[in-house]
Amino acid sequence: MRVDLALKRLLLVKSRTEGKEACDVGAVAVNGKRVKASAEVGVGDRIQLDYAHRTIEIELVADIGKNVSRADAKTLYRVLRDEVTA
């Protein structure tokens, strides 16, 4: 699955466009490497997302399906790091 779509389905960004823009400015890394929006992610991959005042790193623990409910979204990943920056 594309990383921009994965971020959207996991509710880490509001839209796929926002996920793509985050990738375009270098705010998204998969397994420690900055990626384009089209990069593929799967179970076991670590995704780091740098917001303006927050950095979050997650690990995918399950496949992301086509329809993910708000309740199920948080069960598909494990938070490894969640830091607030100044």
Side-chain angles (χ1 to χ4, degrees):
M1 171 173 294
R2 292 173 56 108
V3 69
D4 58 345
L5 185 56
L7 293 173
K8 196 296 188 197
R9 289 190 181 164
L10 295 174
L11 305 175
L12 296 173
V13 294
K14 292 180 183 177
S15 66
R16 182 173 170 190
T17 302
E18 189 176 310
K20 181 185 180 317
E21 289 170 355
C23 291
D24 290 345
V25 298
V28 179
V30 175
N31 297 324
K33 182 179 177 185
R34 298 291 171 193
V35 295
K36 293 182 179 181
S38 61
E40 292 290 318
V41 293
V43 176
D45 284 338
R46 293 176 176 221
I47 302 171
Q48 179 179 321
L49 182 59
D50 298 321
Y51 295 101
H53 299 287
R54 179 179 175 202
T55 297
I56 186 167
E57 185 176 0
I58 63 165
E59 179 179 11
L60 295 177
V61 295
D63 279 327
I64 303 167
K66 287 191 176 200
N67 295 318
V68 179
S69 69
R70 288 191 170 278
D72 290 342
K74 293 189 187 257
T75 65
L76 300 176
Y77 65 89
R78 179 170 50 110
V79 176
L80 302 173
R81 184 171 54 118
D82 189 357
E83 296 175 352
V84 176
T85 56

